Amino acid sequence: MRAHNPLLVLLMLKKVLMLCFFVVLAGCVSSNPAFHNYRLIADSELNVVTEADKLPSSVGVFPVSVAGWLDKRQVIWSDGGVNIHSSTLDRWGEPLPELMTRAMAENLQKASGTEVWISPGPWLRKHRPEMVAKIEVQSISIAGGQLNLMAGWTLEDIEGQTVAHRQAVYNKPFTGTEPDSGYVETLSQVWGLVATDIVRTLAMKQ
């Protein structure tokens, strides 16, 4: 019986292992679906809601806080009851609190006009705006043909004293059942409703 060359056997085994590796890798790539990454944007339908002379010269947005169950990479929502749903393929491009803070600053700018200085916080005390909005997003749900956002917010003056506070549910029609680009656009519009409410309250407090 002819003896096998150990080096030749080793080379053949290496080729077989490499072939198996590429087969497995190709299977993983073909079975791995594409993720969809989203960001919130300023509400495209938002307009100036009051005259600039009725507003403070500067308004700040403290970093938005969201409920722990919402603060995930994937898009999460509830059905309005005890059930929470998540989408494995639909994700936020950045942490949700950061996206919401930036979008709120843009919304407040659109709703108050260019003469009011809007800035996201935190700030050094000497740079603190005249009024600061602190917002907590408590839930986001799809129910009753609407996208609902429950939020509580307060307005503080330059000394940190609360001058107004409110808790409300803001909503827009949404007929879908799962997140997609339409969901994100609708959520951006609902977030614009919160900004409108804040600016109108600011105008009444001046």
Side-chain angles (χ1 to χ4, degrees), residues 26-173:
C28 291
V29 171
S30 62
S31 62
N32 186 24
F35 289 101
H36 305 119
N37 294 296
Y38 296 106
R39 69 183 183 93
L40 291 177
I41 59 174
D43 181 5
S44 60
E45 300 178 357
L46 193 60
N47 296 308
V48 176
V49 298
T50 188
E51 294 84 359
D53 59 2
K54 294 183 179 180
L55 297 172
S57 61
S58 60
V59 177
V61 183
F62 202 76
V64 173
S65 64
V66 303
W69 62 272
L70 284 170
D71 193 6
K72 310 293 181 184
R73 180 68 188 275
Q74 66 267 38
V75 178
I76 296 179
W77 72 101
S78 81
D79 61 0
V82 298
N83 296 311
I84 295 175
H85 305 274
S86 64
S87 175
T88 56
L89 298 182
D90 298 289
R91 307 185 303 183
W92 297 114
E94 295 181 77
L96 184 58
E98 294 180 20
L99 288 172
M100 301 197 87
T101 300
R102 188 179 304 111
M104 178 53 65
E106 294 173 2
N107 282 330
L108 288 176
Q109 192 70 76
K110 291 186 69 174
S112 58
T114 58
E115 295 180 26
V116 180
W117 177 61
I118 307 292
S119 67
W123 316 265
L124 296 174
R125 182 167 179 78
K126 64 179 181 179
H127 297 306
R128 182 183 174 94
E130 286 185 50
M131 298 289 283
V132 171
K134 292 185 175 181
I135 312 167
E136 178 186 9
V137 177
Q138 297 156 348
S139 72
I140 298 174
S141 64
I142 300 173
Q146 296 192 112
L147 193 156
N148 308 287
L149 183 148
M150 180 184 290
W153 53 264
T154 61
L155 294 176
E156 295 181 355
D157 63 18
I158 199 167
E159 300 298 329
Q161 299 298 313
T162 299
V163 297
H165 61 86
R166 186 175 184 193
Q167 176 149 340
V169 176
Y170 304 86
N171 48 54
K172 283 272 189 177

